[in-house]
Every structure is written in C-alpha cells, then in structure tokens.
Amino acid sequence: MRNQSRHSSLSKMSRILLIILIATSCQNCFTRGEDVEQQQNNDEKFDQDQFLKRIDHMTGLYDKLKVKIYKFVDYHSELLKNMASTENQIAKLQRHANIKKAAKPTVQFEKFGAKYYHIENEEKLNWYEAVSRCRSLNSHLISLQNLKEWEIITANLKYLKTYWVDINDEAAEGEFISRFTGEKAPFLKWSTGEPTNQADENCVQIEEAFGLFYIVPHSMNDVTCTKKNYFICEAKEVEM
C-alpha cells in the first residue's frame, strides 16, 4: 500500500515536471520567434537607413555637379562676351588707325553715294565667315549709318534675299554693336516684333518678308549667327 502511494506520487511529480518542461520549451520557442522577428525588423531598419543615406549622398553629389555646371555655363557666357568685346575693340582700333592702304579687290565693288559696296548674291556664309570674307577684300561687313544709306542699299538688293550687316549683341544681350566701329549701332530698322532677343539670336540680317498677297519692305531682325546668308561688304575707297 505504501509502495502504491509512493508510485502514485512519483507519477504526479513526473507529470508536473513534464508540464513544466513543455511550458519552458514553448516559452523559449516564443522568445526565439520574437528575437528572429526583432532581428528582421532591425535588419530592415538598417537597410532603410543605409538606403536613405545613399540617397542623401547622391543628392549631395548631384547638387555639387549642378553648381559646377552653372558655373561653367556662366564662365562660357562671360568668355563669349569678352571675345565679342575684344573683337569690337580691335575693329574700333583698326578703323581709327587707318594704316592699311586700299588694294584692288578681287570682286566687283560699286559706288553708291559716298561709299563702295560689294553685294554678294551668289555665295551664302554665316556671319563670322562673312566678316572674314569682307576683311579679305580689304573692306568690312556693311555698317549702315543712317536712313539715306539704308534706302540706297535696299534699293539695290535682290528680291526676297537676306543679307548680313555688321551688327551683333554677343557682348551684352539687347545691346546691338557695330563690329566695324565697336560702338552702339547708329541705325536700326527692325521688323515688327523684332528683335526677339532669344539667347542664340545675336547677329542681324536684312530681310524682305512676304505673305500671300503682300510683301513687307526690307527690315532688320536678329537671327542665329551660324545661319547662312548673302552679305554686303563696304569700303570707303577701292583701287579701280
């Protein structure tokens, strides 16, 4: 009887220990599960932080690059202005020095009023090429001084052709300078709505526009300097 009682007590103790063991194991399982979940959350937070740091780093690099680009654009614009200003000053000095004797040109110049002109109606050049071509002829791109000269020249231009004059605003937007004198252009006759003063339109041409039933008389407008146009060279005197 005593043995049976002892055996019963041991069985009860075994069951209690088993329950405690199972409960402890389950608690460890829950604890490990929570630890794994917490680790995953920590990993995700770490990845997100790293990602945000990379975004901030790339944004900083982009901002620095943008500043450098803006500085380069400003430097390029300033360089173009200095070049144009230097060219205008050289032209002014050449005009006042007057040390070069007029030579016989290789093309035909005609005298209109007090000056000689070569009106080129065959070859089209951009503005810079036209400046160079006139210089090679011991002349310069036409520099209109007044309405009288304008009327004389436009009366001798071919129908609906466009021609370069020596005016540009490369040094300062909206400030139109005669390349020959290096000073503000004394005579301008703009088309309606001109000049547009767009960033890439820095050189001036003479044009004659037309519509369906009408023709607009000659006038000036600003266009890109790389456009191909006919041109007019001017000289005070030539060797005939």
Side-chain angles (χ1 to χ4, degrees), residues 189-202:
K189 190 173 179 63
W190 296 115
S191 301
T192 302
E194 297 291 340
T196 55
N197 288 324
Q198 294 185 24
D200 61 339
E201 295 188 347
N202 295 318

Side-chain angles (χ1 to χ4, degrees), residues 13 29-30 96 101 141 143 151 164 169 174 197 231:
M13 290 291 293
C29 289
F30 292 143
H96 289 294
K101 183 180 179 181
L141 205 56
S143 178
E151 290 174 344
W164 287 124
D169 69 340
N197 288 324
F231 55 95

Side-chain angles (χ1 to χ4, degrees), residues 28-234:
N28 290 338
C29 289
F30 292 143
T31 302
R32 274 199 300 272
E34 291 174 356
D35 290 343
V36 170
E37 185 177 356
Q38 182 64 37
Q39 183 63 39
Q40 288 177 343
N41 290 337
N42 289 340
D43 290 344
E44 289 178 1
K45 187 174 185 304
F46 176 77
D47 290 342
Q48 186 178 24
D49 289 343
Q50 289 295 102
F51 185 68
L52 291 174
K53 286 180 181 179
R54 290 190 66 184
I55 290 177
D56 290 340
H57 178 66
M58 295 301 292
T59 302
L61 290 177
Y62 172 75
D63 290 339
K64 289 179 181 178
L65 181 60
K66 189 164 60 173
V67 169
K68 288 182 179 180
I69 290 174
Y70 287 153
K71 285 183 178 178
F72 176 78
V73 171
D74 291 340
Y75 174 75
H76 181 257
S77 300
E78 189 65 27
L79 184 61
L80 288 177
K81 289 179 181 178
N82 289 338
M83 288 174 61
S85 178
T86 301
E87 286 188 349
N88 288 333
Q89 290 299 319
I90 291 172
K92 188 175 180 180
L93 290 172
Q94 287 176 337
R95 173 174 172 255
H96 289 294
N98 195 25
I99 60 174
K100 198 169 192 178
K101 183 180 179 181
K104 185 175 182 179
T106 56
V107 297
Q108 184 65 40
F109 276 72
E110 295 183 69
K111 189 173 184 180
F112 300 127
K115 300 177 183 177
Y116 292 87
Y117 300 94
H118 167 65
I119 301 174
E120 179 57 54
N121 289 306
E122 301 297 329
E123 184 180 23
K124 283 187 173 183
L125 300 174
N126 66 41
W127 189 84
Y128 306 103
E129 292 169 338
V131 168
S132 179
R133 179 60 55 83
C134 289
R135 187 188 299 120
S136 72
L137 299 175
N138 296 319
S139 60
H140 58 84
L141 205 56
I142 186 170
S143 178
L144 292 158
Q145 300 298 305
N146 50 55
L147 181 60
K148 182 178 180 180
E149 288 186 357
W150 169 265
E151 290 174 344
I152 290 173
I153 289 300
T154 54
N156 288 276
L157 300 182
K158 294 291 185 181
Y159 181 62
L160 295 180
K161 288 190 174 183
T162 55
Y163 301 85
W164 287 124
V165 296
D166 78 329
I167 302 167
N168 71 79
D169 69 340
E170 287 188 313
E173 189 65 43
E175 185 177 337
F176 290 92
I177 303 297
S178 163
R179 192 193 181 286
F180 173 57
T181 65
E183 299 172 352
K184 185 176 180 179
F187 178 82
L188 294 165
K189 190 173 179 63
W190 296 115
S191 301
T192 302
E194 297 291 340
T196 55
N197 288 324
Q198 294 185 24
D200 61 339
E201 295 188 347
N202 295 318
C203 294
V204 178
Q205 69 177 10
I206 297 174
E207 68 173 359
E208 185 179 31
F210 67 97
L212 186 60
F213 301 109
Y214 64 90
I215 296 177
V216 178
H218 289 98
S219 56
M220 293 180 179
N221 71 313
D222 57 336
V223 295
T224 177
C225 300
T226 55
K227 180 178 181 285
K228 299 288 185 177
N229 273 339
Y230 301 107
F231 55 95
I232 307 166
C233 297
E234 174 188 316

